[in-house]
Every structure is written in C-alpha cells, then in structure tokens.
C-alpha cells in the first residue's frame, strides 16, 4: 500500500439542509477526503488552519494515523464555508467563502512527502494545487477536484493544473461551467482532451460517469439512500474512497481499477450523506464498507 498525499481545505462549515442546520462544524475537502481514504489506506495532509482550530478536531485525523507534518497552524481564523441546500440536494448554494488563513498559504512539502506515489489535489485554490504537485518527485497517479468558486475566480490557473493530472473528479454542473457544454457526456468527452486521461463526472443521487480517453465510458448509479440528511462532503469522500482503493492496489490503475475505485468511492460517499458534517463518514470501517459493497454489487448487477 502506498500513502496518499492530499492538499485541500481544513474548514469550519455552517450548513443548512431541508432537515436541519449546523454552525461551524468541522469540514473542508482535506478532512472529508482523509477520513474516507483512511478506511483502506494512509494519508499525508498538506493544509493550513488558524489558531482557532480545536485540538479535538486535529485529533480526528491523528486518531486515524494521518501524517500531519504538512498541516500548518498560523495566527488567524480557519477557512470558513457557509452554504445551504434547497430541495435539490445535489447542488450546494454557497452563502460565504472566508478563505482566512488560506489566503496567504504557501505550501512547502516536508521532505518525506515528496516521494508520495498517489497525489490528490482536493478542492482548493488551483495555485496551491499546482505548487504542491510541482514538489512531488515521481507520482504514480495524480487526481484533482475543483468547484465553481475556482472556475469563476482562477480559471487560467485551474486549466494549467487540469493539464497535468491523470484524472479529474468534478460535479456535473461544474463540468458544464468549465467546458461550456450543456450536456454532461459532451463535457466528459471534452475534458479528456484538456489533459487528464480520465474524468469522473459526479451526478449526486444519479451516480456518475467515468470517461477514459482510451477505454470510453463507464456509468454507475449511486448507492441508493432514501433519506439524505446532508450531502456536504459527498464529493470529497467519494474521492477519498476512490484514491484509498487505488493506493491500496498500489500500481498505476487500469480501466478496471478505476471502475472498482468508482464503486468504493460511491459506497463511502453514501455513508457521508446520512448525517451532518463528518459524522456519517466517520462511521465507515472496512467491515461496514464490505457489507454495503455486497448490497451494491447486487443492485448494479455485479456478480462474482
Ligand atoms: P463537497 O460537498 O464534497 O463538494 O465539499 C464540501 C466541502 O468543501 C466543505 O467542507 C467546504 O468546507 C469545502 N469548500 C467549500 N468551498 C470551498 C472552496 N472554495 N475551496 C475549498 N474548499 C471549499
């Protein structure tokens, strides 16, 4: 098993969904990703928090043996995101993005991070994603995520990072925004011409589309969940499960590995949406994952 290097946000989130709300709960793409990825693998984090970051929040990753040598604490406030969902739970509406300490973050990788073989650039400023990627010596497989905030504010930098990674994971709405395509499949086809050999278009409760430049399309429905409490972090935990599986395999993934990784990612994400914040994904362990995998295999017609 290889370790995964992740750079992303470490955040406090204020979230409102049709069933309730939470104020300044622990979130951020790197936290969600790390909790999910450590079900099958191990993780090194690059990110920054303010001096308001609570010791018990740091403890969540420490208890999962996440390497926090690349997590900087600087004077000021931790990144804060506020958002809500209306009846369309597949799309978050952002109310506020306070970058705070992330605004001046300059990621310098600890020496031992530089040989990481699996690298995930979670949703964060593309300039930071690029700085991290440039410091890794010879990665086996690299991936990234992004969102509307960065497509609107840093498109040129974002396109440069997209050129350099092996796989892009992106929401359907954001894939259309990025490519100018009004159709998700057309966006998936355009994105593999922009650099990455593969793209996963995430479609919330409707599942996903994987498009590989050489192997074409793979479609997967989501694991069925009838009561979604809070979809925040579903994408990041999908990525965590996806990369957790790939790094567990350890070699450069082929198309079959990517399909399997999609199934693991979707299964992990299905736990996330069943509770607020990180609570849902924190319930996942290898035994729970295996149980849901058996059910999922039946639903999608995978027979051993
Ligand atoms: P997801 O629902 O998987 O797309 O990710 C939700 C997480 O992304 C939340 O925990 C937020 O803290 C984090 N987030 C929201 N906006 C941004 C942003 N502009 N940059 C980085 N992270 C963000």
């Amino acid at each position: 098993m290889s370790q995964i290097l992740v750079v992303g946000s470490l955040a406090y989130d204020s979230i409102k969904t049709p069933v309730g709300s939470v104020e300044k709960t622990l979130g951020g793409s790197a936290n969600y990703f790390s909790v999910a990825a450590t079900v099958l693998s191990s993780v090194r984090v690059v990110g920054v928090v303010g001096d308001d970051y609570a010791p018990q929040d740091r403890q969540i990753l420490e208890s999962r043996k996440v390497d926090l040598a690349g997590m900087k604490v600087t004077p000021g406030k931790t990144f804060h995101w506020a958002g809500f969902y209306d009846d369309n739970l597949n799309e978050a509406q952002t109310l506020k993005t306070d970058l705070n300490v992330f605004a001046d973050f300059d990621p310098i990788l600890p020496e031992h991070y530089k040989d990481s073989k699996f690298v995930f650039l979670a949703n964060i400023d593309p300039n930071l994603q690029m700085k991290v990627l440039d410091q890794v010596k010879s990665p086996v497989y690299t991936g990234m995520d992004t969102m509307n905030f960065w497509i609107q504010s840093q498109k040129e930098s974002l396109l440069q990072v997209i050129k350099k990674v092996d796989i892009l994971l992106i929401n359907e709405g954001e894939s259309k925004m990025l490519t100018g395509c009004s159709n998700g499949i057309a966006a998936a086809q355009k994105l593999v011409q922009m650099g990455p050999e593969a793209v996963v278009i995430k479609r919330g409760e409707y599942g996903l589309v994987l498009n590989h430049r050489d192997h074409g399309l793979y479609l997967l429905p989501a694991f069925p969940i009838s009561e979604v409490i809070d979809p925040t972090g579903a994408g990041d935990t999908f990525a965590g499960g996806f990369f957790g599986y790939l790094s567990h395999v350890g070699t450069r993934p082929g198309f079959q590995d990517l399909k399997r990784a999609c199934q693991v990612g979707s299964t992990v994400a299905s736990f996330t949406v069943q509770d607020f914040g990180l609570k849902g994904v924190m319930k996942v362990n290898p035994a729970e994952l295996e149980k849901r995998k058996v059910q999922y295999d039946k639903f999608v017609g995978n027979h051993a």
Side-chain angles (χ1 to χ4, degrees):
M1 178 181 54
S2 303
Q3 290 210 323
I4 310 162
L5 170 63
V6 65
V7 61
S9 53
L10 300 155
Y12 287 123
D13 290 344
S14 301
I15 307 163
K16 195 167 174 342
T17 80
V19 296
S21 61
V22 282
E23 276 296 306
K24 300 212 168 160
T25 191
L26 185 62
S29 52
N31 269 322
Y32 278 110
F33 178 94
S34 301
V35 171
T38 47
V39 177
L40 290 178
S41 187
S42 55
V43 176
R44 298 164 165 163
V45 168
V46 181
V48 63
V49 296
D51 46 21
D52 58 345
Y53 202 69
Q56 64 269 27
D57 291 335
R58 189 185 170 94
Q59 176 59 27
I60 289 179
L61 296 191
E62 275 171 351
S63 67
R64 293 172 167 259
K65 308 263 180 301
V66 173
D67 190 339
L68 297 180
M71 177 174 150
K72 210 172 155 200
V73 185
T74 60
K77 280 193 168 172
T78 298
F79 179 99
H80 174 237
W81 176 76
F84 72 94
Y85 301 83
D86 52 26
D87 287 337
N88 175 9
L89 286 166
N90 295 319
E91 214 177 307
Q93 311 289 334
T94 294
L95 292 170
K96 221 192 219 182
T97 303
D98 299 322
L99 293 177
N100 297 332
V101 291
F102 255 111
D104 305 310
F105 181 48
D106 185 18
I108 309 291
L109 295 197
E111 213 40 51
H112 67 283
Y113 276 33
K114 294 184 181 169
D115 67 357
S116 300
K117 295 301 174 209
F118 289 80
V119 179
F120 189 68
L121 312 169
N123 177 26
I124 194 63
D125 184 335
N127 297 295
L128 299 181
Q129 292 178 316
M130 185 67 104
K131 272 193 183 165
V132 168
L133 191 57
D134 281 347
Q135 293 172 67
V136 183
K137 286 180 197 148
S138 53
V140 169
Y141 202 71
T142 59
M144 68 180 288
D145 191 359
T146 193
M147 68 181 286
N148 47 13
F149 185 83
W150 304 112
I151 299 171
Q152 280 152 357
S153 63
Q154 301 281 350
K155 189 160 178 189
E156 279 316 305
S157 309
L158 181 59
L159 292 174
Q160 294 307 313
V161 194
I162 289 176
K163 252 189 210 160
K164 293 189 77 172
V165 294
D166 295 305
I167 191 161
L168 171 68
L169 315 180
I170 189 166
N171 285 345
E172 185 169 45
E174 283 148 2
S175 74
K176 292 178 181 172
M177 180 188 267
L178 185 59
T179 57
C181 297
S182 54
N183 172 291
I185 300 295
Q189 286 163 344
K190 194 160 179 186
L191 286 165
V192 295
Q193 305 307 324
M194 291 165 70
E197 67 168 23
V199 57
V200 173
I201 308 265
K202 297 170 285 177
R203 306 182 65 228
E205 69 180 301
Y206 306 112
L208 62 83
V209 176
L210 163 67
N211 185 31
H212 190 288
R213 203 189 297 140
D214 303 327
H215 300 279
L217 296 173
Y218 168 68
L219 310 184
L220 183 68
F223 185 92
I225 297 290
S226 55
E227 202 194 2
V228 173
I229 304 291
D230 173 17
T232 309
D236 304 316
T237 50
F238 171 84
F242 185 93
F243 263 76
Y245 176 78
L246 294 184
S247 80
H248 183 76
V249 173
T251 49
R252 187 173 167 85
F255 194 46
Q256 287 306 326
D257 299 313
L258 296 178
K259 289 185 194 176
R260 199 71 208 130
C262 283
Q263 294 166 19
V264 176
S266 301
T267 311
V268 177
S270 71
F271 286 91
T272 306
V273 303
Q274 289 184 293
D275 212 332
F276 273 105
L278 284 158
K279 274 199 237 155
V281 67
M282 282 171 64
K283 292 178 192 144
V284 191
N285 56 41
E288 290 298 322
L289 186 63
E290 183 57 29
K291 255 198 248 164
R292 223 169 247 200
K293 172 188 167 294
V294 172
Q295 292 176 294
Y296 202 17
D297 279 347
K298 276 195 206 150
F299 294 144
V300 299
N302 280 344
H303 300 294

